[in-house]
Amino acid sequence: FDGIIEGYGEPDARSRFMDHMRYDTRLREKDYGSISFYSKEDIRRLFPNEADRLTREGKYLYRPLGGESWYDVKDNRVNSILNTMYRTFQGKSILVVTHTVVMKCFGFKIEHIETEEDIERFDHDNPIQPCGISVFDYDPDHGHSDRLSLKEWNTEVS
């Protein structure tokens, strides 16, 4: 958090942000359940049924035992946090710090990307940079004054 605040460039930013900072478990990374911390090779060797399910169901629909699919993250957690943001912080700027899958799921929800084919294309074409910055904003010039749209995706911070 301190590195983000230092990069913001305002002398009083830390105290201003700290007064409003909230931790929200909905922003944690995707839960990989029983396959957490295993390599793909280890999963094939130790959990052959899970490896078969992953192959059959695909990266986005596959839900490991005790874990979540990408769709779970998008349709449950990210949808929930977006509803909270709209309801609680409408008209205000919000800084969200999160992980790769969750950030991509924000992109899917805000850009209304729903089909597996479109999700796969967005995921492939938009890799996440470490500490990249994405900006979503209201776009009244394009008929979107009531919903967010993508303004900047994953700008690399130097």
Side-chain angles (χ1 to χ4, degrees), residues 35-47 51:
I35 63 169
S36 292
F37 309 112
Y38 288 100
S39 68
K40 289 180 182 179
E41 295 77 26
D42 285 343
I43 293 168
R44 279 192 285 278
R45 185 172 50 80
L46 298 170
F47 307 105

Side-chain angles (χ1 to χ4, degrees), residues 60 71 108 113-123:
Y60 307 103
Y71 280 96
F108 302 155
I113 299 169
E114 295 293 331
T115 68
E116 190 168 359
E117 180 180 279
D118 290 340
I119 285 173
E120 187 172 337
R121 185 177 16 264
F122 184 91
D123 180 30

Side-chain angles (χ1 to χ4, degrees), residues 1 23 31 34 37 54 71 74 79 83 96 107 123 130 153:
F1 179 74
Y23 291 98
D31 186 345
S34 63
F37 309 112
L54 173 57
Y71 280 96
K74 176 179 77 71
N79 192 55
N83 284 334
V96 175
D123 180 30
W153 179 256

